Amino acid sequence: MSLNIIDLIKGQLGSALVTQAASQLGESESGISKAIGGLLPAVVGGLANNSDNPAVLDAITGAPSQGVLGNLLGLASENTWVQSLLASIFGDKLSGLVNSIATYAGISNNSSASLLNLVTGATVGSVGKYAADNNLDRSGISSLLNDQKGIVSSLLPAGLSLASLNVGDWAKGYKFDNDNDTIKTTPTTPLPNPAQHEEKKVEVTRSVADGGTFPDRPTTTSDGGSIWKWLLPLLLLIAASYFLWKQCDKKETTTTTTVAGDTLNTTTDSSAMQNDTATTMTTNKVDENIDLNGTALKGYKGGMEDNMINFLKSGSYTSAADDAALKDNWYNFDHVNFKMGSSTELEAGSQGQLENLVAILKAYPDAKVKIGGYTDKVGNEAANVKLSGERATYIKDWLAKQGVGAQVTGADGYGSKFATVDASASDAERAADRKMAVRFTK
């Protein structure tokens, strides 16, 4: 079975990014999530339909070096590179696609266009990373994209079709044609005995996907029979299951009472928990310009950057006699999250805040910091300490690569040592204990 590109992209478009995009665009999280669900197969289909397009192949091969995956929210604003690529993929269908998704998801056309930029960047970046990791040349990338033609129509959520997205005509060449399945009937010659007749034989023309035909699909003798007679109930069932799962997985906004202000919903660091996705839930917060000695950093008022800069400007760091005066004053990262089960892969949108920390350290070269990782009380404590420590070390090593390693004195994982919420509490309540943080040190 061919690789499903969408599986590569899901990790880049997690709930943390949905929350941040909703805040940035002024839309509901449900609307953002619904729009992304419609845009993703449409973008993959567009790339598949342009698998030999030099502009598409150039964008994919160049994505890793451009750091596309580290700046997805930045792509949501007007971006010449992405817009040029989209024009190459969709041509005069672009505005129709934006309008259709806006109507489907209940968001503005501007938000729909911004999300199209974001989803396109996530798709191109993910495919580019996969190609680089697996040494795929341009021919290999083209084959990978072409393979998606057999599955893209089936990945659209209930209520959307390629035709409804104004791209139905280029889908006619797909092996899996969402809009043009036909069933033909052919009468047979009657038997010599007039009292006995053979039933009409049905000749079925089926769409064929990479995985083969669909032999169990019921046939019909009516012209214009459609795959939707069996596919639509299946899609509705999948959508209902997804909704129930999302409801169970939903996390609420939480804040800490530490100096840092906002906390992160980072991972539930336990092998016993499947829900290990790092998530930032700061629905009521909006990024603003935080002044760093004349340089504007994007961050929350009362968030990590704002509090750290104010502390440095106040002279409190300089006047601190020793590390003991600083050790209890931690600043929680607002946007830095790791992918599920990983200590080496950050979720999309995380790098921006790390870059802000680099800028702060460079502006105050005498300042030193330490990185800490924390978990809630659920799961094996040894595993929690190990994973939280590896994540803290990853951030420390990343900062060193940016030229501020001498200012980062250590990185420790504390597991659930400082957790305050009982293990029997809800996941949303325990989120206050799951975070990555930084503090000043001497």
Side-chain angles (χ1 to χ4, degrees), residues 183-185 202-204 217-226 229:
I183 298 177
K184 302 176 182 178
T185 60
V202 180
E203 177 185 341
V204 181
R217 184 174 62 183
T219 59
T220 177
T221 58
S222 61
D223 289 334
S226 172
K229 291 183 178 180

Side-chain angles (χ1 to χ4, degrees), residues 188-429:
T188 61
T189 303
L191 294 172
N193 184 353
Q196 297 177 345
H197 292 83
E198 184 178 78
E199 291 183 0
K200 289 185 179 181
K201 296 181 179 179
V202 180
E203 177 185 341
V204 181
T205 301
R206 292 187 177 94
S207 296
V208 181
D210 289 347
T213 59
F214 303 92
D216 296 328
R217 184 174 62 183
T219 59
T220 177
T221 58
S222 61
D223 289 334
S226 172
I227 193 171
W228 287 107
K229 291 183 178 180
W230 65 270
L231 182 59
L232 184 56
L234 177 61
L235 290 176
L236 289 173
L237 179 60
I238 293 173
S241 299
Y242 178 76
F243 174 79
L244 290 175
W245 174 77
K246 289 296 288 183
Q247 288 297 109
C248 293
D249 192 50
K250 188 174 181 182
K251 297 181 176 63
E252 300 174 358
T253 303
T254 54
T255 57
T256 66
T257 57
T258 61
V259 176
D262 299 309
T263 188
L264 297 179
N265 292 344
T266 53
T267 62
T268 301
D269 299 302
S270 168
S271 58
M273 295 291 291
Q274 292 180 336
N275 182 16
D276 189 36
T277 304
T279 310
T280 304
M281 299 297 288
T282 50
T283 307
N284 297 323
K285 296 286 187 176
V286 178
D287 278 340
E288 301 180 31
N289 288 332
I290 307 299
D291 178 60
L292 175 62
N293 301 334
T295 299
L297 303 181
K298 285 294 184 181
Y300 296 148
K301 287 293 185 184
M304 186 201 80
E305 294 91 340
D306 192 27
N307 285 329
M308 290 185 75
I309 293 171
N310 286 337
F311 185 78
L312 290 166
K313 286 182 176 180
S314 71
S316 298
Y317 177 78
T318 303
S319 61
D322 52 29
D323 189 63
L326 302 168
K327 67 183 183 67
D328 295 325
N329 198 13
W330 287 88
Y331 303 89
N332 297 328
F333 285 102
D334 304 297
H335 297 306
V336 177
N337 304 293
F338 284 85
K339 291 185 180 180
M340 179 170 52
S342 175
S343 61
T344 59
E345 291 186 273
L346 293 169
E347 280 197 358
S350 297
Q351 187 168 319
Q353 187 157 48
L354 291 177
E355 291 173 346
N356 285 350
L357 179 56
V358 171
I360 293 171
L361 292 176
K362 288 184 175 180
Y364 293 89
D366 293 331
K368 292 180 173 58
V369 297
K370 178 180 180 179
I371 307 299
Y374 304 83
T375 74
D376 61 22
K377 293 182 178 181
V378 174
N380 180 274
E381 181 62 11
N384 286 346
V385 171
K386 181 176 182 294
L387 184 58
S388 59
E390 289 174 347
R391 288 175 169 175
T393 299
Y394 176 85
I395 292 176
K396 177 178 181 292
D397 293 343
W398 186 92
L399 292 170
K401 293 176 182 178
Q402 313 310 310
V404 293
Q407 294 175 257
V408 185
T409 64
D412 287 324
Y414 300 102
S416 64
K417 180 178 179 180
F418 297 102
T420 59
V421 181
D422 191 82
S424 62
S426 69
D427 182 71
E429 291 171 317

Side-chain angles (χ1 to χ4, degrees), residues 17 38 77 90-91 113 118 131 158 170 181 212 258 283 295 367 377 381 419 422 433:
L17 187 70
S77 57
F90 293 106
L118 186 153
W170 55 248
D181 276 5
T258 61
T283 307
T295 299
K377 293 182 178 181
E381 181 62 11
D422 191 82
D433 290 330

